[in-house]
Amino acid sequence: GAVVVAASAVALLPVALAKRAPASRVDDVLAVADEVARLKAAGDAVLFVPAARRDTALVSPGDFAGLADIALARGPVESGTLKGEEADPARIRAAMLAQRRILLVTDATRVAKPVSAQRDAVKTAVLRDHFTVTEDRQVRGRRVTVYERTR
């Protein structure tokens, strides 16, 4: 019996190690944060769709340093929540239209769900109607898209 257990453990060791490797992560917030740090420029803003994707910035705040989180009305500490509270859709729209460049952090195409929240619908509509995609990177379950203002 002990030989069978030992042989099974040895045989399954590569599988167990592969599951713990960074490449096995479907949703790797650290890899996405690195991509944000690479793509951002002075004066850029950042948006998250859905708002829950803000976890990327909360895990790696240094990678988001200098980016204005223009949808956030109250941060986690102020609001007593894990991810903060977003502003109303009208304020988000106005803040977006005041930007030249916006980095959008969202889900990768293959795992993205349809936009359902009113705030997120406003974000995607303003980006679609007033901005152009200049870069788009999909990184382990998430996506970073750079938008520049067109009109």
Side-chain angles (χ1 to χ4, degrees), residues 32-48 56-57 60-72 99 101-105 144-146:
V32 175
D34 287 344
E35 195 65 25
V36 167
R38 195 183 71 68
L39 292 171
K40 72 181 182 179
D44 284 354
V46 64
L47 287 174
F48 302 91
T56 309
S60 298
D63 291 328
F64 286 79
L67 291 173
D69 186 344
I70 56 175
L72 193 63
Q99 301 302 312
R101 269 179 39 117
I102 297 175
L103 277 69
L104 174 68
V105 177
V144 181
T145 308
V146 179

Side-chain angles (χ1 to χ4, degrees), residues 39-96:
L39 292 171
K40 72 181 182 179
D44 284 354
V46 64
L47 287 174
F48 302 91
V49 173
R53 294 306 154 256
R54 188 170 276 105
D55 61 352
T56 309
L58 297 174
V59 171
S60 298
D63 291 328
F64 286 79
L67 291 173
D69 186 344
I70 56 175
L72 193 63
R74 295 180 356 159
V77 174
E78 298 172 282
S79 66
T81 64
L82 288 175
K83 297 179 183 147
E85 295 175 354
E86 290 198 337
D88 65 82
R91 182 172 163 254
I92 293 171
R93 183 180 193 285
M96 289 176 69

